Amino acid sequence: MNVLVIAPHPDDESIGCGGAICLHADQGHRVATVFLTSGECGLPELSKEEAWRVREREAERATEILGVASIEFLRRPDQYLQENTIDAACALKPILQREKPEVLYLTHERDFHPDHRATVSIVQAAVRAAGITEPTLLSYEVLTPLTEFDRAEDISPVMRRKLKAMWAYRSQIRQFRYDLAFRAMNRYRGVMARAGRYAEVFRVAGESMSGISLPCRADPGWHRLYAATQEITEIVPTEAAFILAGEVSSETCSLVAPRRCIPFVEKDGGYWGKPSDDAAAIRELERLRETGASFIGFVSSTFWWLEHYVGLRDYLRAQFPCVRENERIVMFDLRKAAKVSIGPTASLAEHMVG
């Protein structure tokens, strides 16, 4: 996966999404970071060129700690991005065309700092001009906390690295201890979102969430569903159909569109309740597979299926590759048999189907 982080100033990336960057890098994703300005106004006692050197050197150290693969400094005027939106968007356009990000992190439109607000317009204009597939846009918080969020990311395993990256910005830490502020903020987010000891939260920008009601998005459990659907969109091709165990909400369908999400068990396009037993579950699975379903998935709220329907679970594991299995989702690819020795489990499943 290609990930692009847009930071108005050096240090915004570490403060707002430093933990998420670490998690992406640790998963082998390519993370690139673009600094729209070099934050010269943050060191008013120095000349512009000297301030650039200090803050860019700090950014290089910080992003190395986070695991960023490449960085670029556009050196647009600090504090004046609102007056340079078109120019900044033109400079960002070729980077978007080169990186082709699937996920893009940026500051949010209600942040106190005018450069942070202007970043949203710059990114939107650049994405339109670049002619690329629109990435998932995730807004992060820096000076002004998000009042609503769609995703909470457990950053507990990498919190120490995030703090280390923030400490790399010595010139700024001497002026304002935002390392202390965000250690407390990420602790608060982790507790309130039930995401872990420390968490970062993000708001989805763009049109992909327009069909989701605000009360639904305010639910503390919302980010778990959102995170699971984002994994589904990574796995399932855009025009494919897939099975999702249990009843499927309209919000889930909106998040995975244009992919077709089939409830399990299904009848006449709707949810028809749980299967009576393993044999019924396997027959329904094979029926849907014959009609074109290419994957089947279980999210955290339906993991119990894999314990209750033991025969279905064994049949899936024997016959099909498990392409994703973590605390959010378990997905099987129904398009081809797994390259495993099937043995007696398959014989049992065939007997159940028959």
Side-chain angles (χ1 to χ4, degrees), residues 17 88 134 142 148 159 166 188 203 233 278 281 298 306 309 319 348:
C17 58
E134 181 173 330
V142 182
E148 297 170 346
M159 187 63 195
M166 287 194 283
Y188 169 79
R203 180 73 187 265
T233 59
D278 287 298
F298 303 82
L306 299 172
Y309 296 104
Q319 297 279 29
L348 172 61

Side-chain angles (χ1 to χ4, degrees), residues 100-170:
K100 295 181 174 58
E102 297 162 70
V103 177
L104 188 153
Y105 292 90
L106 70 162
T107 46
H108 69 87
E109 60 188 4
R110 295 186 180 180
D111 194 283
F112 170 77
H113 199 296
D115 283 354
H116 294 192
R117 297 195 301 272
T119 297
V120 179
S121 299
I122 291 167
V123 169
Q124 290 174 339
V127 169
R128 287 193 300 269
I132 61 172
T133 300
E134 181 173 330
T136 299
L137 302 177
L138 296 178
S139 297
Y140 56 85
E141 54 190 0
V142 182
L143 295 180
T144 304
L146 285 161
T147 56
E148 297 170 346
F149 61 89
D150 303 309
R151 182 170 185 169
E153 195 72 56
D154 182 3
I155 63 167
S156 306
V158 297
M159 187 63 195
R160 189 176 296 276
R161 276 167 63 194
K162 171 173 177 164
L163 288 170
K164 189 177 179 181
M166 287 194 283
W167 293 333
Y169 290 103
R170 294 180 181 179

Side-chain angles (χ1 to χ4, degrees), residues 40-294:
E40 60 271 15
C41 292
L43 292 172
E45 70 279 9
L46 300 180
S47 69
K48 181 171 68 173
E49 290 75 16
E50 289 173 325
W52 281 349
R53 282 194 292 272
V54 171
R55 299 209 64 184
E56 289 177 7
R57 189 161 55 244
E58 290 175 340
E60 289 166 356
R61 286 197 292 266
T63 52
E64 182 179 0
I65 292 166
L66 297 176
V68 173
S70 71
I71 61 175
E72 293 196 41
F73 301 97
L74 300 188
R75 289 185 172 180
R76 267 45 195 179
D78 189 9
Q79 303 282 3
Y80 294 96
L81 282 180
Q82 287 180 315
E83 288 79 12
N84 289 270
T85 299
I86 296 175
D87 177 56
C90 289
L92 184 57
K93 173 184 170 181
I95 299 172
L96 289 168
Q97 292 172 328
R98 182 188 71 224
E99 295 292 338
K100 295 181 174 58
E102 297 162 70
V103 177
L104 188 153
Y105 292 90
L106 70 162
T107 46
H108 69 87
E109 60 188 4
R110 295 186 180 180
D111 194 283
F112 170 77
H113 199 296
D115 283 354
H116 294 192
R117 297 195 301 272
T119 297
V120 179
S121 299
I122 291 167
V123 169
Q124 290 174 339
V127 169
R128 287 193 300 269
I132 61 172
T133 300
E134 181 173 330
T136 299
L137 302 177
L138 296 178
S139 297
Y140 56 85
E141 54 190 0
V142 182
L143 295 180
T144 304
L146 285 161
T147 56
E148 297 170 346
F149 61 89
D150 303 309
R151 182 170 185 169
E153 195 72 56
D154 182 3
I155 63 167
S156 306
V158 297
M159 187 63 195
R160 189 176 296 276
R161 276 167 63 194
K162 171 173 177 164
L163 288 170
K164 189 177 179 181
M166 287 194 283
W167 293 333
Y169 290 103
R170 294 180 181 179
S171 69
Q172 303 306 297
I173 289 286
R174 284 197 295 266
Q175 301 177 52
F176 179 64
R177 292 303 302 271
Y178 55 73
D179 57 326
L180 300 180
F182 266 80
R183 182 173 183 173
M185 173 65 83
N186 294 152
R187 179 75 175 117
Y188 169 79
R189 292 303 197 185
V191 171
M192 298 306 292
R194 304 175 196 170
R197 182 172 176 81
Y198 295 99
E200 290 172 344
V201 299
F202 304 96
R203 180 73 187 265
V204 177
E207 297 298 318
S208 62
M209 301 291 284
S210 59
I212 312 301
S213 67
L214 288 178
C216 176
R217 293 168 70 171
D219 185 333
W222 164 255
H223 69 273
R224 288 188 288 274
L225 172 63
Y226 175 76
T229 58
Q230 292 306 289
E231 295 209 43
I232 289 171
T233 59
E234 291 177 14
I235 297 166
V236 180
T238 304
E239 302 302 325
F242 70 97
I243 304 164
L244 197 60
E247 190 169 7
V248 176
S249 67
S250 59
E251 288 82 10
T252 300
C253 292
S254 296
L255 289 170
V256 299
R259 299 159 188 84
R260 185 164 66 91
C261 185
I262 306 170
F264 193 62
V265 172
E266 179 269 347
K267 184 176 181 180
D268 299 327
Y271 178 60
W272 204 250
K274 298 182 288 292
S276 57
D277 54 29
D278 287 298
I282 294 173
R283 282 196 297 270
E284 176 67 5
L285 170 71
E286 290 300 329
R287 182 184 73 82
L288 292 174
R289 194 160 76 96
E290 289 177 4
T291 63
S294 54

